Amino acid sequence: ESGRYSVSAMYNIMWIEIDKDNDITGNGVSLEILDRAYITPAEAFMVEWGLRGTYIVSDDKYNGLDADLKYAFLSLPVNFRLEINKKGSGLVVSPLLGVMLRWNLMGEHEIRDGGRTISVDYFGNENERVFGHSRWERIRFGWQIGLSIDYKWLHTAVLYDFHSLSFALGMNF
C-alpha cells in the first residue's frame, strides 16, 4: 500500500489557447500535497485530495511577434484511485480519475513589436476584451486523469488536466 500522504514536485507542459489562431506552449513547476483515504474495506479503492500551486512561463510567438507569458494558479484536485499491487512487494500502480477546481492567480502576457511592448492582464477588467476575446475565467472546474506508480516511499505520477501534461516525483509518508 502507498503512504497516506504525498508531497511532490511536478514538471508541467501546458498548451494555452490565447485565441482561435494562437496557442502558446509553456513550461512550469508545481508543488503538490495530497492526503488519501480508503473508501472500501478491501483497501483497493481510495480517494485523494490536496492542494497544488503551479507557475508556468512561456517565451513563444503571438501572430509572429515575440511574446512572454507568466501564469500562476492554485488547484484543488480530488481523485479516485484503484490500487493494483502485489502484497509485500512495495509496488503500487494506480490509475486515477478526478476533478480539479483551479483558482487562476496571475496571467500576464507581454507582446513585443519592434520597440513597442503591449502588456495584457488576462484577469483584469472582466468587461474588456483581449485580442477580440473575453478575459480568462478566474475560477475553472474540470477533470484530470493519470497514472500513479509508488514504490514504498517513492511517489511518481503522470497526469493530464486543463490542457497540461504533468510529471510528478515525490515522497509518500
Side-chain angles (χ1 to χ4, degrees):
E1 106 185 27
S2 60
R4 168 146 184 198
Y5 302 101
S6 174
V7 176
S8 300
M10 303 173 87
Y11 173 74
N12 306 290
I13 303 167
M14 179 172 267
W15 301 270
I16 302 166
E17 181 180 329
I18 301 299
D19 60 34
K20 65 182 177 122
D21 298 320
N22 291 282
D23 289 342
I24 290 181
T25 302
N27 298 311
V29 294
S30 297
L31 180 63
E32 180 177 69
I33 300 169
L34 294 172
D35 189 5
R36 301 179 179 114
Y38 288 102
I39 55 176
T40 60
E43 295 187 353
F45 289 101
M46 67 174 12
V47 63
E48 65 182 9
W49 60 93
L51 179 66
R52 180 187 307 161
T54 303
Y55 184 71
I56 303 285
V57 293
S58 174
D59 181 13
D60 211 333
K61 298 280 187 191
Y62 179 83
N63 284 337
L65 303 174
D66 291 332
D68 294 327
L69 177 73
K70 296 175 186 153
Y71 184 32
F73 51 88
L74 287 176
S75 303
L76 301 171
V78 177
N79 297 312
F80 293 95
R81 292 175 42 156
L82 169 63
E83 286 198 342
I84 304 167
N85 63 12
K86 183 175 179 184
K87 295 288 183 193
S89 73
L91 180 67
V92 178
V93 178
S94 302
L96 60 92
L97 176 64
V99 294
M100 173 102 51
L101 179 65
R102 175 182 289 169
W103 180 37
N104 293 309
L105 302 172
M106 176 182 73
E108 297 173 355
H109 202 173
E110 287 188 357
I111 302 167
R112 292 177 299 285
D113 182 8
R116 186 175 70 136
T117 299
I118 302 166
S119 295
V120 177
D121 176 4
Y122 284 101
F123 303 111
N125 184 342
E126 295 295 326
N127 296 323
E128 292 180 30
R129 297 177 73 76
V130 177
F131 306 119
H133 295 274
S134 299
R135 299 283 180 172
W136 292 351
E137 296 172 358
R138 181 67 73 173
I139 295 175
R140 292 190 60 196
F141 183 79
W143 56 271
Q144 75 174 4
I145 59 172
L147 180 68
S148 173
I149 300 174
D150 299 319
Y151 181 71
K152 297 182 181 177
W153 59 268
L154 179 66
H155 170 71
T156 62
V158 177
L159 302 167
Y160 177 79
D161 63 84
F162 285 114
H163 304 289
S164 70
L165 184 62
S166 302
F167 303 92
L169 180 63
M171 292 179 56
N172 291 316
F173 52 98

